[in-house]
Amino acid sequence: MRILLVQPDTPAGVGFRTVALPEPLHLEMVAATVPDHDVRILDMRIDDNLDAALQDFGPEMVAVTALTPEVYAARNVLQRVKSFSCEIFTVVGGHHATLIPEDFLVPQVDAVAVGEAEVMFRELARAAADRRGLRGVPNILWRDRDGTFVRNALSDSRVDVSELALPRRDLTESYRNEYFFLFDKPDTSVATSRGCPFRCNFCSVHKFYRGAISQMNPRRVLSEILTVSSNHITLVDDNFLMNHKRENAIADLVKSEGIRRKFSMECRTDSIVRHPELVEKWVKVGLYAVLLGLEGGNDRILMNVNKSNSVETNDRAIEILQNLGVIIWGAFIVDPDWTQNDFKQLREYVNRRKITHTQFTVLTPLPGTQLYRDRRNELLTDDYSCFDTLHAVLPTRLPREEFYRNFAELYRQRDIGPYYDLVQAGKMTIEDCRQGKAMLDTMADWEQYIQRDPILGAHNHHRSDPLLSVSAP
């Protein structure tokens, strides 16, 4: 069967596309589950010609994925698919579909896939190809002949990521040069684990994986790294340094194989503080940048998001990384309830710690999170395009324009000293600095945040869509 997997485009306007465009690794992994079928991937962030893909490939199944801000784009893709041919079997899956499948119980969807693709996608594809019933396929909601959606049972099976087939990166090879992370282009994403033991209230990772954690063994990680052609690899685990024995073994294998790549990773600061020698070992095999979820400059902020960490630990990790010459991409959360003084304190913290690469997001109750369950009644809108973590969907203490002025100003870097030090150390080039300034200038334009604001935006974002008025998990 011919299967087209689609990564929808992201909403127009301000967004993190200026600083990173990762490959659709989730779709490459879905493709790996159906080796007996003819599969293609369309990344509409780069190539938006869906009609041409439908015409040229003639798919019998189209499956689309979606994060929360991409819900409308995903539904639109499948509407266009059904308009092209009502005979095409349509599927939607991914993070949002798993957490709130009810948002996709619409006429253009034949089945909603819930959870990890490895649990159900091969069986779903086989059932669709054989034109047999879907009642035996686990982890799906599907439309029967009467147009009523039927919810099948959830499987109790767990995915062992060490047994996964290699992602089908050949299906995105034509897009490879467009994928990047900060200044590294092309970039390849590698996921070596799934799940997280922590319970930050703004995150739904533990909910998606139903509390399960699975880590690839070192040999399986090495086998995937050996297939990567790009010079830069981003390890996209939520906390790569979660198991220091495993990560020690991986670093040893990378060294013994003579692999020379630039690595970046995401990890918690407490993991770094517990094992600074592990970070040093990774620096020796190519680690040059780390994304840290610092969240805030004081313990009150960390406590409010249930981070289970402290600013003291953050500061120690920052010092360790900076002493090793590792670039820090510090991620911070801005609470809509902030005052002018809160913004001032965060700016001072970033400058004091000399964090050159920053990501500021607005505290957002994303569906599936504890924060959503706690504060859903306070939401100003149910328009998912506003849930991009760059717009305040909760009331702000400051006047909204003033809030966005302060938020945007966080991205404006005036001290070039730390950048000069990175250039002197060979960690960045002058061209990198120019690109970085352009990225920051884009994010520092406060007026562009107004367009999709639920109150100030040009369009009415507070809409009553019955498809969204459902009980969220």
Side-chain angles (χ1 to χ4, degrees), residues 303-375:
M303 186 179 301
N304 287 344
V305 297
N306 198 34
K307 187 67 179 180
S308 301
N309 209 343
S310 69
V311 170
E312 180 183 0
T313 300
N314 287 349
D315 290 346
R316 290 172 62 193
I318 290 169
E319 182 180 5
I320 290 168
L321 292 174
Q322 290 177 336
N323 288 341
L324 291 171
V326 177
I327 292 175
I328 297 170
W329 188 359
F332 297 92
I333 294 176
V334 172
D335 194 317
D337 197 47
W338 273 13
T339 65
Q340 288 271 13
N341 191 52
D342 291 314
F343 282 102
K344 179 175 180 290
Q345 288 180 4
L346 180 55
R347 285 193 294 270
E348 290 174 347
Y349 179 82
V350 171
N351 292 335
R352 187 166 63 251
R353 296 301 169 195
K354 297 182 179 180
I355 302 172
T356 52
H357 299 60
T358 51
Q359 172 183 297
F360 303 101
T361 58
V362 180
L363 182 65
T364 303
L366 290 167
T369 65
Q370 185 61 47
L371 188 65
Y372 185 89
R373 293 187 284 274
D374 291 342
R375 304 190 67 179

Side-chain angles (χ1 to χ4, degrees), residues 24 38 50 54 108 126 136 165 181 235 347 421:
D38 185 6
L50 175 63
L54 296 174
Q108 64 265 38
R126 183 183 299 119
F181 172 82
L235 300 167
R347 285 193 294 270
D421 293 341

Side-chain angles (χ1 to χ4, degrees), residues 6-217:
V6 180
Q7 167 63 54
D9 199 2
T10 52
V14 63
F16 292 116
R17 285 273 293 273
T18 58
V19 297
L21 183 66
E23 66 192 280
L25 178 61
H26 43 296
L27 293 184
E28 296 167 347
M29 299 175 83
V30 170
T33 68
V34 284
D36 298 330
H37 297 274
D38 185 6
V39 184
R40 292 187 186 179
I41 292 177
L42 175 67
D43 190 338
M44 294 185 68
R45 300 170 302 175
I46 300 169
D47 176 8
D48 63 358
N49 200 339
L50 175 63
D51 292 340
L54 296 174
Q55 188 68 46
D56 296 343
F57 185 43
E60 298 160 273
M61 173 190 283
V62 173
V64 63
T65 185
L67 296 172
T68 296
E70 300 163 344
V71 167
Y72 307 129
R75 297 197 314 205
N76 181 60
V77 165
L78 297 186
Q79 181 63 62
R80 292 171 61 187
V81 169
K82 285 297 189 182
S83 296
F84 177 84
S85 172
C86 62
E87 297 299 316
I88 298 175
F89 188 81
T90 55
V91 183
V92 62
H95 206 82
H96 190 95
T98 295
L99 298 173
I100 308 186
E102 292 85 357
D103 283 339
F104 292 103
L105 305 187
V106 292
Q108 64 265 38
V109 174
D110 291 319
V112 181
V114 175
E116 298 169 271
E118 292 81 10
V119 174
M120 99 295 286
F121 196 75
R122 177 180 295 185
E123 193 169 343
L124 176 60
R126 183 183 299 119
D130 296 343
R131 306 245 178 219
R132 59 181 175 83
L134 300 177
R135 291 190 180 277
V137 181
N139 290 41
I140 66 167
L141 291 81
W142 56 281
R143 180 189 300 280
D144 66 13
R145 292 181 179 179
D146 297 329
T148 302
F149 277 90
V150 178
R151 186 187 295 262
N152 287 2
L154 293 176
S155 171
D156 292 328
S157 64
R158 298 293 188 181
V159 175
D160 181 353
V161 294
S162 293
E163 300 299 322
L164 294 180
L166 291 172
R168 291 289 307 276
R169 292 192 175 88
D170 57 299
L171 299 179
T172 56
E173 189 59 34
S174 63
Y175 306 126
R176 181 62 48 186
N177 289 335
E178 300 300 322
Y179 299 134
F180 70 97
F181 172 82
L182 290 178
F183 313 117
D184 294 289
K185 189 177 182 180
D187 173 63
T188 299
S189 299
V190 173
T192 75
S193 67
R194 294 179 182 177
C196 179
F198 295 93
R199 297 293 182 267
C200 301
N201 65 9
F202 57 84
C203 179
S204 59
V205 167
H206 66 281
K207 179 76 172 179
F208 181 91
Y209 292 108
R210 293 192 282 165
I213 298 173
S214 181
Q215 295 183 304
M216 283 183 183
N217 64 52

Side-chain angles (χ1 to χ4, degrees), residues 420-440:
Y420 177 79
D421 293 341
L422 289 173
V423 172
Q424 288 292 97
K427 300 293 183 179
M428 292 179 66
T429 66
I430 295 297
E431 180 57 31
D432 289 339
C433 290
R434 292 195 184 100
Q435 291 181 30
K437 185 178 185 305
M439 292 176 183
L440 292 171

Side-chain angles (χ1 to χ4, degrees), residues 239-259:
N239 180 17
F240 180 73
L241 300 182
M242 184 164 45
N243 179 350
H244 72 279
K245 292 182 179 179
R246 184 191 78 122
E247 285 82 62
N248 260 302
I250 296 171
D252 288 339
L253 288 172
V254 170
K255 181 180 179 180
S256 65
E257 289 290 333
I259 296 171

